Amino acid sequence: MIMEPKGKKVYTIDDIARELGVSKTTVSRAISGKGRIGQTTREKVLSFIEEHDYRPNVMAKGLAQRKTFNLALLLPKDYAVTEFPFFKDCMQGICEMASSHDYDVIISMIDGDDLSQLQRLEANRKVDGMILSRAVEHSKAQEYLKSCKEPFVVIGPEEDTQIVYVDNKNLEASEELASIMLMKGVQKLALLGGNESFSVTKSRYQGYVQAHEKMGRQVHTELIFMDCENQLKVSGAVRQILEAGADGILCMDDAICTMCIESLRELKVQISSGIRVASLYDSKSLEYNNPPITSVKFDTVRLGKMAAGKLLKMLGEELQEDMQPLNYQVVLRESTQ
Amino acid sequence: MIMEPKGKKVYTIDDIARELGVSKTTVSRAISGKGRIGQTTREKVLSFIEEHDYRPNVMAKGLAQRKTFNLALLLPKDYAVTEFPFFKDCMQGICEMASSHDYDVIISMIDGDDLSQLQRLEANRKVDGMILSRAVEHSKAQEYLKSCKEPFVVIGPEEDTQIVYVDNKNLEASEELASIMLMKGVQKLALLGGNESFSVTKSRYQGYVQAHEKMGRQVHTELIFMDCENQLKVSGAVRQILEAGADGILCMDDAICTMCIESLRELKVQISSGIRVASLYDSKSLEYNNPPITSVKFDTVRLGKMAAGKLLKMLGEELQEDMQPLNYQVVLRESTQ
DNA sequence: CTGAAAGCGCTTACAG
DNA sequence: CTGAAAGCGCTTACAG
């Protein structure tokens, strides 16, 4: 436990220069490592700093360099409970990457297409770049950031080639999982989809379709239900799915899947023996469900890290770790046997 | 949609002074409202600013005033899925209050008793104060902040009178809900509790006990189960509760309650007719459950606002809205009839 | 290799 | 009521 003695002096670069009998230019150089400086001088400065626990004032440094060493994370104000795990993991990854480069993360909760918070953030110039955490089609926020020439990266798929983005391999994962189900003998595979305005929904939908196409199978459009936002909708969909004689259900995320399981339970349909079920996003509840549900695992913490990493790179930072492409993992469990 | 013309000049206070033929002192005064200044001069400056959309550089202002206009929100890195709604709402309240005073919120995810992130934040001096979002007994983080003389407020109950905190009325709410159940005729009221190291758990536990004491009823210690962190534990507890002949269950939060409902369903025990159930934290799933579950509603967004408000006050800001005490609301639903 | 000086964009005693 | 000047704590050409 580190205790700061009560009246401890907060050193400035001036103090150090004075005490060491050098100029503050020299001190600055010793710290930043930029510019030529003698070995001995550098060590003298560095050891003084170490000993007196000097930490440069980041705000002052920022003013001089016209930087803030802050990133903004833009969170949708209205995100649903079911999206928490995703945002939380993203946030963690972003924070880790940022702080390993001595950046901090400012959060801003933005409300749909209301740009006021964004404008405030932009006007205050307290961040060097921003991360938009939910890709939405035709997003006003994105337009705005572009028009401000603010460096930013989007989390989610992005068609605009001028925009930097990171994304889980949603399409591929969806296609793979759907293919597996079809190969395992599912004849009529239903789809329970999420909010249609989210880009991720589109990707997963496409994966489902492509799996059918590549295997020369017909897509049963009457088995596709989008915007499954509550139990009522899901129950209705499940009922129709069963009536239509489907023998498999692909759920776009764990929340939808949880509701789907609940419906099946009410209707007394056994998972696996009665109908096969899989989810495109893994969570504890699916793993521990009885029977355990087949699903796709994404590494969202790493997704967040990559987002922050790309942004830092745009800001001219050197990344220590070079970034491997993102991947996913299909976890086969009892529900699709 | 506000478009910034591409090569738009970013004005500084110097530019304005020059263009208007006044000193920058005057411009500064017109903006801040501090110091004497002529009506006409002020208006001239203000309208120029308005017209050219000048926004002062917050970093520079901060350096001069030795402030940062940032608050830190300390989030536990390991928080559980079940705590999301709470943290999310807190965060929203904090962000709203902060931004209405032109402060920003920096997040830092801290890992149990590991102080490294906290030390970094402290050393970088990029925040004026901090909000600790989960009260834990004997928290190292709290000790550390105290020793640094960093202004901070804790969300959760706090016995140390030197520490500023905000808290939902957990004890009172718990007592009231337990009392209601007892008054409605519950003879043996079981308790499913959360993580014992969290302060909130302690408060709710006390409420349960006090309800019994004030009504001259005996506390059945064999009906109390703490640390109900997963379905397995809850199912075990519920079985014992039923065997012991309890006719009511008070769940400390909505996640525990959800697991409790699941157990009861498995055991084919009807809620309300078979056993009464209530929860100390409301969420959509409880409201829409069949039967709907009696629970306590807290206004967590406002809790967050109050936390930020108290901190801002400590930092010398004038709060626009004066803060009403927090309250809660018992929502009686079918599960306790 | 090292330093004096100007500058980042503000605020704030102090003087008038 | 207004302004010149110093200062916040750094960085960075420029000169030596």
Side-chain angles (χ1 to χ4, degrees):
Chain A
M1 166 100 226
I2 293 166
M3 286 295 213
E4 309 272 332
K6 289 280 161 185
K8 189 156 175 196
K9 176 167 177 49
V10 174
Y11 279 86
T12 69
I13 213 169
D14 268 294
D15 300 322
I16 301 176
R18 198 177 322 113
E19 301 231 5
L20 254 34
V22 297
S23 75
K24 40 186 213 169
T25 310
T26 303
V27 177
S28 176
R29 276 198 278 252
I31 295 166
S32 67
K34 291 185 230 158
R36 309 200 61 71
I37 184 174
Q39 183 70 282
T40 353
T41 327
R42 155 179 294 131
E43 278 165 11
K44 189 170 64 173
V45 175
L46 256 25
S47 75
F48 184 94
I49 283 175
E50 174 77 12
E51 195 178 330
H52 296 79
D53 195 35
Y54 163 78
R55 303 295 313 258
N57 182 317
V58 184
M59 305 288 283
K61 182 181 173 189
L63 185 59
Q65 295 191 137
R66 306 161 135 260
K67 298 195 59 176
T68 66
F69 303 100
N70 287 147
L71 266 30
L73 170 58
L74 275 20
L75 254 22
K77 186 180 235 165
D78 64 334
Y79 63 99
V81 182
T82 57
E83 299 176 90
F84 281 145
F86 178 78
F87 285 117
K88 190 238 175 189
D89 287 344
C90 267
M91 203 157 89
Q92 187 179 320
I94 292 168
C95 285
E96 279 172 14
M97 180 59 89
S99 74
S100 76
H101 288 261
D102 237 322
Y103 274 68
D104 285 289
V105 179
I106 283 180
I107 43 171
S108 179
M109 306 187 82
I110 65 178
D111 196 354
D113 278 341
D114 173 15
L115 297 177
S116 58
Q117 286 301 312
L118 219 49
Q119 286 168 199
R120 204 190 125 259
L121 206 56
E122 181 66 29
N124 280 348
R125 283 163 289 167
K126 283 168 84 175
V127 300
D128 298 326
M130 305 194 184
I131 296 172
L132 202 50
S133 64
R134 179 160 72 197
V136 173
E137 307 208 85
H138 315 298
S139 142
K140 286 243 195 272
Q142 218 158 296
E143 286 295 311
Y144 177 70
L145 293 178
K146 252 173 97 172
S147 76
C148 293
K149 295 179 293 176
E150 174 79 36
F152 72 101
V153 349
V154 171
I155 296 180
E158 184 50 61
E159 283 163 13
D160 186 336
T161 53
Q162 292 171 56
I163 291 181
V164 179
Y165 71 95
V166 296
D167 195 17
N168 275 326
K169 293 191 170 176
N170 282 300
L171 196 157
E172 294 83 345
S174 175
E175 181 181 329
E176 182 165 340
L177 189 49
S179 299
I180 290 175
M181 292 182 84
L182 294 175
M183 283 189 304
K184 279 186 174 255
V186 170
Q187 296 300 319
K188 297 179 85 175
L189 180 60
L191 179 67
L192 291 179
N195 189 320
E196 281 199 276
S197 72
F198 298 167
S199 305
V200 60
T201 302
K202 203 172 160 191
S203 300
R204 292 180 182 169
Y205 174 84
Q206 281 175 357
Y208 167 88
V209 172
Q210 284 186 21
H212 285 77
E213 286 171 353
K214 290 197 185 161
M215 297 180 70
R217 303 276 290 267
Q218 192 202 328
V219 173
H220 298 274
T221 48
E222 77 279 13
L223 297 178
I224 298 178
F225 296 85
M226 304 304 280
D227 289 312
C228 295
E229 55 196 10
N230 58 42
Q231 186 67 58
L232 209 67
K233 279 206 171 183
V234 172
S235 296
V238 169
R239 207 165 301 120
Q240 291 181 58
I241 285 169
L242 293 172
E243 280 168 11
D247 54 348
I249 303 179
L250 180 57
C251 303
M252 274 211 195
D253 65 42
D254 52 343
I256 293 173
C257 191
T258 304
M259 294 188 283
C260 170
I261 293 169
E262 174 61 27
S263 293
L264 291 173
R265 177 157 27 216
E266 275 180 13
L267 298 169
K268 311 231 186 285
V269 175
Q270 291 287 330
I271 291 174
S272 175
S273 57
I275 193 162
R276 281 149 160 165
V277 174
S279 168
L280 279 165
Y281 200 87
D282 195 46
S283 71
K284 286 265 172 278
S285 63
L286 299 181
E287 188 174 344
Y288 294 129
N289 189 66
N290 180 13
I293 306 292
T294 288
S295 64
V296 177
K297 263 189 157 66
F298 294 104
D299 189 345
T300 310
V301 173
R302 218 158 76 70
L303 181 69
K305 276 192 186 174
M306 292 223 17
K310 285 209 175 184
L311 185 53
L312 289 170
K313 219 168 180 176
M314 290 168 70
L315 300 177
E317 297 293 324
E318 306 247 325
L319 298 193
Q320 20 244 46
E321 25 182 338
D322 55 358
M323 299 192 285
Q324 309 286 327
L326 284 160
N327 223 324
Y328 61 89
Q329 211 183 321
V330 175
V331 188
L332 295 174
R333 301 202 183 97
E334 232 181 287
S335 69
T336 48
Q337 272 169 11
Chain B
M1 164 100 227
I2 293 167
M3 287 293 212
E4 309 272 332
K6 289 280 163 189
K8 189 155 175 197
K9 173 164 179 50
V10 173
Y11 279 86
T12 69
I13 214 170
D14 268 294
D15 300 323
I16 301 175
R18 197 176 323 111
E19 301 230 6
L20 255 33
V22 297
S23 75
K24 39 187 212 165
T25 310
T26 302
V27 177
S28 176
R29 276 198 278 254
I31 295 166
S32 68
K34 290 184 231 160
R36 307 200 62 71
I37 184 174
Q39 184 69 284
T40 353
T41 328
R42 152 177 297 131
E43 278 164 11
K44 187 171 62 173
V45 175
L46 257 24
S47 74
F48 184 93
I49 284 176
E50 175 76 12
E51 194 178 330
H52 295 79
D53 195 35
Y54 163 78
R55 302 295 313 256
N57 181 317
V58 184
M59 304 290 281
K61 182 181 175 190
L63 185 59
Q65 294 191 139
R66 304 159 136 263
K67 298 195 59 174
T68 66
F69 302 101
N70 287 147
L71 267 29
L73 169 58
L74 275 20
L75 253 22
K77 187 180 236 164
D78 63 334
Y79 63 99
V81 181
T82 57
E83 301 176 88
F84 283 145
F86 179 79
F87 284 117
K88 190 239 174 189
D89 287 344
C90 265
M91 203 157 91
Q92 187 179 320
I94 291 168
C95 286
E96 279 174 13
M97 179 60 88
S99 75
S100 75
H101 289 260
D102 237 321
Y103 274 68
D104 284 289
V105 179
I106 283 179
I107 42 171
S108 179
M109 306 189 82
I110 64 177
D111 196 354
D113 279 340
D114 173 13
L115 297 177
S116 59
Q117 285 301 312
L118 220 49
Q119 285 167 200
R120 203 189 126 260
L121 207 56
E122 181 67 30
N124 280 348
R125 282 162 289 166
K126 281 168 87 174
V127 300
D128 298 327
M130 305 193 183
I131 296 174
L132 203 49
S133 65
R134 180 161 72 196
V136 172
E137 307 209 85
H138 315 297
S139 142
K140 287 242 195 274
Q142 218 158 295
E143 285 294 312
Y144 177 70
L145 293 178
K146 251 173 95 173
S147 76
C148 294
K149 296 179 293 177
E150 175 79 36
F152 72 101
V153 350
V154 171
I155 296 181
E158 184 51 61
E159 284 163 12
D160 186 336
T161 52
Q162 292 172 57
I163 291 181
V164 179
Y165 71 95
V166 295
D167 196 15
N168 276 326
K169 293 191 171 176
N170 283 300
L171 196 157
E172 294 83 346
S174 175
E175 182 181 329
E176 182 165 340
L177 189 49
S179 300
I180 290 175
M181 293 182 83
L182 294 175
M183 283 188 305
K184 280 186 173 253
V186 170
Q187 295 301 319
K188 296 179 86 176
L189 180 60
L191 179 68
L192 291 178
N195 188 321
E196 281 200 276
S197 72
F198 298 168
S199 306
V200 60
T201 303
K202 204 173 157 189
S203 300
R204 292 180 182 169
Y205 174 83
Q206 282 175 357
Y208 167 87
V209 172
Q210 284 185 21
H212 285 78
E213 286 171 353
K214 290 199 184 158
M215 298 181 71
R217 303 277 288 268
Q218 192 202 328
V219 173
H220 299 273
T221 48
E222 77 278 12
L223 297 179
I224 299 177
F225 295 84
M226 305 303 281
D227 290 311
C228 295
E229 56 197 10
N230 57 43
Q231 186 67 57
L232 209 67
K233 279 207 170 182
V234 172
S235 295
V238 169
R239 208 166 299 121
Q240 291 181 56
I241 285 169
L242 293 172
E243 280 167 11
D247 53 349
I249 304 180
L250 181 58
C251 302
M252 273 210 196
D253 64 44
D254 53 341
I256 294 173
C257 191
T258 303
M259 295 189 282
C260 171
I261 293 169
E262 173 62 26
S263 293
L264 291 172
R265 176 158 27 215
E266 274 179 14
L267 298 169
K268 313 230 187 283
V269 176
Q270 291 287 330
I271 290 174
S272 176
S273 58
I275 192 163
R276 282 149 159 165
V277 174
S279 167
L280 280 165
Y281 201 88
D282 196 47
S283 71
K284 286 267 172 276
S285 62
L286 299 182
E287 188 174 343
Y288 294 128
N289 190 66
N290 180 13
I293 306 292
T294 289
S295 64
V296 177
K297 264 189 155 69
F298 294 105
D299 189 345
T300 310
V301 173
R302 218 158 76 70
L303 181 70
K305 276 194 185 172
M306 292 221 21
K310 284 209 175 185
L311 184 54
L312 288 170
K313 219 168 181 177
M314 290 168 69
L315 300 177
E317 296 293 324
E318 306 247 327
L319 297 193
Q320 20 245 47
E321 24 182 340
D322 54 357
M323 299 192 284
Q324 309 285 328
L326 285 161
N327 223 324
Y328 60 89
Q329 211 182 320
V330 175
V331 188
L332 295 174
R333 302 201 182 96
E334 232 181 289
S335 70
T336 48
Q337 272 170 10

